[in-house]
Amino acid sequence: MKYLVRDKMLAIGDDYWIEDEDGRHAFLVDGKALRFRDTLELKDPDGQILITLREKLFTLRDAMTLEQDEQRLAVIRRKRLSLLRGHFLVTLAEGTGLDVSGRILDREFKIEYDGELLALVSRQWYRIRETYAVDVVREDADAALLIAVAVCVIRMAEKEREDAVSPGAVPVP
């Protein structure tokens, strides 16, 4: 199942819908304003919170946590000892991990578990600017979790790029 994300790197407090391939609202990304740290909620169409995406504070490496019912579901960090620049590791609560790799800022990457493709994130299916799809390829995969991972990884990569570019500096490719 493909989910369409209109990619607007919006300020915290802004909300946007993620639609399924039939154009129906599938998830709402709800930005929480006036919070000390970056916080988003992924909700179903009825407003039920499915996953809370939260920036971890006071860590040596940037990280975001995914929480469900106030319990940690996963922690996302950039994989440091990787030859790939766009490589993130998602450590799930039970200790297993998802591997995210590709051109994150270009919205062309994959999410895998133990070498098996779970989701493919790509702009190739859409010609509309600032739009990408999250194609959940396994029927038994948790679509909300995979979309939350994609949103977090993109936010983290964008934040890294912003932090690397200061006035008068040359952007890091």
Side-chain angles (χ1 to χ4, degrees):
M1 168 77 77
K2 284 184 187 154
Y3 296 91
L4 178 67
V5 182
R6 288 191 174 42
D7 187 26
K8 303 175 261 181
M9 291 316 297
L10 304 173
I12 296 301
D14 290 335
D15 305 338
Y16 58 94
W17 281 100
I18 296 173
E19 299 172 349
D20 66 15
E21 57 193 340
D22 297 322
R24 294 182 304 247
H25 288 171
F27 301 102
L28 174 67
V29 178
D30 184 2
K32 294 298 173 189
L34 304 173
R35 299 275 175 113
F36 182 61
R37 57 185 174 172
D38 195 356
T39 302
L40 303 167
E41 292 175 343
L42 186 67
K43 297 180 177 181
D44 68 14
D46 296 325
Q48 177 79 23
I49 298 171
L50 302 173
I51 299 176
T52 302
L53 301 73
R54 199 180 313 271
E55 178 183 29
K56 279 189 85 164
L57 294 178
F58 311 116
T59 60
L60 294 176
R61 295 185 342 196
D62 286 340
M64 288 190 81
T65 60
L66 302 178
E67 299 169 3
Q68 193 170 52
D69 300 324
E70 298 187 23
Q71 299 292 317
R72 181 180 295 167
L73 187 61
V75 176
I76 303 170
R77 289 187 172 89
R78 176 174 290 285
K79 194 168 182 179
R80 291 292 182 197
L81 300 175
S82 171
L83 298 176
L84 297 174
R85 210 162 187 302
H87 203 164
F88 288 80
L89 182 62
V90 181
T91 306
L92 301 173
E94 70 269 4
T96 60
L98 303 178
D99 190 55
V100 180
S101 63
R103 297 185 330 266
I104 309 296
L105 294 173
D106 292 334
R107 309 319 187 246
E108 297 290 338
F109 59 94
K110 59 187 175 180
I111 303 171
E112 297 177 306
Y113 171 73
D114 201 23
E116 182 179 350
L117 182 65
L118 297 179
L120 186 62
V121 176
S122 180
R123 281 191 170 150
Q124 74 180 3
W125 297 298
Y126 299 97
R127 299 293 177 229
I128 303 167
R129 190 170 190 269
E130 298 181 353
T131 301
Y132 66 90
V134 177
D135 185 8
V136 178
V137 296
R138 284 203 36 175
E139 288 185 27
D140 62 340
D142 183 345
L145 173 65
L146 295 173
I147 289 169
V149 167
V151 169
C152 281
V153 166
I154 290 168
R155 287 186 82 82
M156 291 173 71
E158 289 283 343
K159 186 176 184 291
E160 273 182 12
R161 181 174 65 182
E162 289 170 11
D163 291 347
V165 177
S166 61
V170 176
V172 177

